[in-house]
Amino acid sequence: MTAQSISNAKVNQPWKNWGGNQEFTPALTVRPTTEAEIVAAVRHAIQEKMTVRVAGAGHSFTPVVATNGLLLDLSDMQQVTGVDSETRRVRALGGTQIDKFGDPLWKAGLSLGNQGDIDKQAIAGAISTATHGSGIESGCFSSMITWVRLINGHGEIIEIDEGDMKRLRAAQVAVGTLGVILEVELQAVPAYHLREEITYETTDELLDGWDQNPHNARHFSFLWCQAPESAGLYELPTPPGLDMVGRAYTKRYWAEDLDDVNNPITEEGRRHDRAYRIYPGGFGIPFHELEYYVGVDRAKDAWIALKDLIFEQHPEQKYPIETRWTQADQGYISPFYREDKVSLSVSGAPGTNYEPYLRDVDKLLQQFDATVHWGKIHYLTRERADKLFPEIETFRQVRRELDPNGVFLNKHTEELFS
Ligand SMILES: Cc1cc2nc3c(=O)[nH]c(=O)nc-3n(C[C@H](O)[C@H](O)[C@H](O)COP(=O)(O)OP(=O)(O)OC[C@H]3O[C@@H](n4cnc5c(N)ncnc54)[C@H](O)[C@@H]3O)c2cc1C
């Protein structure tokens, strides 16, 4: 088979991520419309000794998609393939955007247990980096996986289910290194509505309520603003005239009894609707984000230290600190492996030299043994990863079994996971 005979293939087509900080030109880009086309493209790459990476929606800030070989764009491989009301499980093709799950699940009396700030990621992209929302009793997307079908580095299609927990825990978060995820199954929950409450709490109020807040709502999170322009950078609506410096856009979402809801309320700040319509916001202005995770017990100290770092050493940095809670899970390289975590996220402005700031944040949060979001800017080396993820070698073992020749590795993932 030649490159010309592969369906929907383009040569030397440049690729760029959402944030605009990652770009590369693969030798071949294939946008398959059937599973058979994915399989043919991967087998062709293996035969030609090309590396392969998959692009989801391109919302990661790290070089996790980059390849100079074959890039698979799964934008046309989107479908919720089955919903089982009895087991409360849903299956979907790997390229399916998260916003495609809401309606079919709702019709079956189900919802996803949690969602993040947006719903534009491909489901396989979201699980590959342990994408999460906020909720001390809510795990990340990867924690919901019960089954996955993928094509591995041998060119074989395999299924991994709960009968093989070693492989399943590796597949839960794998940064695209086990193969192309063709289809996944997620554990859903009974359908629920959410009631939103937005407040603008001061630093003292947030610190006073630090321990209770995450337990008092189904989802609690806040975006703390260090400068007058901070809220605007993330397009957060604020009341006219309110000085946001030292305050946070604070989100609480409560689950509501379904019978209570007749009409959704869509007024910003007090919305009341089906869960999947409440979770996602929208981000129109690009930013470059770092998100690290500190164990719940040490997170308050880490947050205060981060705030002080910004005030004292980086007053030029304006993006809010987003603070969220995520429940522990079992994924071998999940940042939430066996420990409930608090996420601390900061961003740099595209086109500015934010690197010294993010390096200082990295240095500070290392002192709190912080793990990292694989899809957001981080400075982990292999040595640091070895210390932070106790089962990383088990993960690497599974990866080597499924892809001994490193078809699905690139420079970035090879350093960490080979
Ligand atoms: C505006 C914005 C908001 C965000 N909000 C959140 C948030 O609330 N919570 C959070 O945790 N993160 C958030 N993120 C980060 C984002 O969720 C992750 O980076 C996620 O991985 C992006 O998904 P994607 O579909 O764009 O995947 P990509 O970035 O395209 O890819 C991510 C990884 O998945 C792999 N991959 C994709 N598809 C497949 C497949 N079929 N088979 C195998 N591997 C595959 C890729 O190769 C890559 O390694 C946000 C990012 C942006 C830009």
Side-chain angles (χ1 to χ4, degrees):
M1 186 185 283
T2 61
Q4 287 75 23
S5 65
I6 293 182
S7 313
N8 305 312
K10 289 201 171 124
V11 176
N12 296 331
Q13 183 173 258
W15 185 92
K16 211 183 227 193
N17 67 340
W18 177 91
N21 67 325
Q22 299 293 336
E23 48 190 312
F24 61 92
T25 302
L28 202 59
T29 303
V30 175
R31 188 168 165 160
T33 55
T34 63
E35 187 173 298
E37 287 176 11
I38 301 179
V39 172
V42 170
R43 289 184 180 158
H44 168 77
I46 292 172
Q47 200 185 338
E48 297 297 316
K49 302 205 180 323
M50 291 164 91
T51 55
V52 181
R53 297 294 292 167
V54 186
H59 277 60
S60 296
F61 300 94
T62 41
V64 287
V65 176
T67 178
N68 55 15
L70 168 67
L71 180 67
L72 286 170
D73 169 356
L74 298 191
S75 311
D76 293 330
M77 296 297 294
Q78 300 201 44
Q79 195 188 341
V80 172
T81 50
V83 182
D84 186 331
S85 312
E86 297 269 299
T87 58
R88 297 179 182 150
R89 290 184 175 184
V90 53
R91 287 191 178 190
L93 300 185
T96 311
Q97 259 181 217
I98 293 169
D99 62 4
K100 303 281 193 308
F101 284 77
D103 287 332
L105 277 177
W106 196 266
K107 276 195 200 119
L110 300 173
S111 292
L112 293 173
N114 196 10
Q115 288 187 223
D117 286 344
I118 57 163
D119 58 6
K120 299 301 170 213
Q121 305 95 326
I123 188 63
I127 64 178
S128 295
T129 63
T131 290
H132 56 89
S134 185
I136 189 72
E137 290 179 11
S138 303
C140 67
F141 276 98
S142 307
S143 71
M144 305 173 196
I145 295 177
T146 51
W147 170 89
V148 62
R149 201 157 61 85
L150 54 81
I151 175 161
N152 64 19
H154 303 281
E156 304 160 344
I157 296 180
I158 60 162
E159 295 187 21
I160 302 175
D161 62 19
E162 291 156 299
D164 185 351
M165 287 314 289
K166 183 174 170 189
R167 283 189 171 186
L168 192 63
R169 283 176 182 162
Q172 276 179 302
V173 185
V175 201
T177 63
L178 302 188
V180 182
I181 298 172
L182 302 167
E183 194 176 359
V184 285
E185 180 182 82
L186 304 180
Q187 184 67 56
V189 300
Y192 58 102
H193 289 80
L194 287 174
R195 177 165 56 86
E196 169 190 68
E197 184 189 68
I198 304 294
T199 53
Y200 301 89
E201 287 168 35
T202 62
T203 310
D204 285 347
E205 286 167 340
L206 289 165
L207 291 177
D208 286 348
W210 186 278
D211 292 329
Q212 299 80 42
N213 279 332
H215 297 281
N216 291 344
R218 193 179 196 278
H219 307 283
F220 171 77
S221 64
F222 64 90
L223 293 108
W224 179 85
C225 300
Q226 56 266 40
E229 54 272 64
S230 299
L233 290 170
Y234 279 158
E235 302 158 73
L236 303 172
T238 55
L242 181 69
D243 180 3
M244 283 299 289
V245 178
R247 281 183 190 271
Y249 179 90
T250 308
K251 293 197 262 190
R252 287 182 178 82
Y253 296 162
W254 283 278
E256 288 285 293
D257 187 336
L258 292 179
D259 296 339
D260 288 344
V261 177
N262 295 317
N263 296 306
I265 298 170
T266 53
E267 186 191 324
E268 176 67 37
R270 52 184 294 270
R271 292 176 303 150
H272 188 150
D273 206 341
R274 297 176 182 181
Y276 66 92
R277 294 177 182 155
I278 295 284
Y279 285 115
F283 289 94
I285 312 171
F287 48 84
H288 294 166
E289 189 181 357
L290 167 155
E291 185 165 37
Y292 280 24
Y293 307 100
V294 175
V296 162
D297 293 347
R298 300 169 73 193
K300 189 175 179 183
D301 289 343
W303 189 90
I304 293 169
L306 179 57
K307 168 184 73 68
D308 292 346
L309 175 83
I310 297 171
F311 269 141
E312 288 160 22
Q313 291 178 47
H314 292 282
E316 78 290 356
Q317 298 297 331
K318 310 293 187 199
Y319 283 87
I321 305 177
E322 185 171 18
T323 309
R324 300 188 270 187
W325 278 253
T326 300
Q327 193 181 47
D329 61 54
Q330 302 285 337
Y332 291 141
I333 59 161
S334 166
F336 314 107
Y337 182 72
R338 296 199 173 166
E339 190 178 9
D340 297 344
K341 293 274 172 73
V342 177
S343 346
L344 304 177
S345 136
V346 295
S347 287
T352 66
N353 181 21
Y354 52 73
E355 173 97 7
Y357 167 52
L358 298 190
R359 287 267 177 199
D360 280 352
V361 173
D362 171 72
K363 207 157 122 195
L364 173 78
L365 296 180
Q366 268 189 65
Q367 295 167 35
F368 294 90
D369 301 317
T371 54
V372 306
H373 193 309
W374 296 116
K376 299 190 184 177
I377 297 169
H378 67 78
Y379 301 101
L380 272 206
T381 57
R382 190 180 180 97
E383 199 189 346
R384 279 173 65 185
D386 285 350
K387 287 190 190 130
L388 288 170
F389 296 92
E391 290 292 347
I392 197 166
E393 204 39 54
T394 314
F395 172 79
R396 291 184 187 130
Q397 234 178 49
V398 174
R399 194 209 61 72
R400 285 181 207 119
E401 281 163 24
L402 298 186
D403 184 22
N405 298 320
V407 173
F408 293 101
L409 290 178
N410 64 11
K411 192 163 166 279
H412 176 75
T413 51
E414 185 172 4
E415 146 84 4
L416 294 162
F417 308 125
S418 62

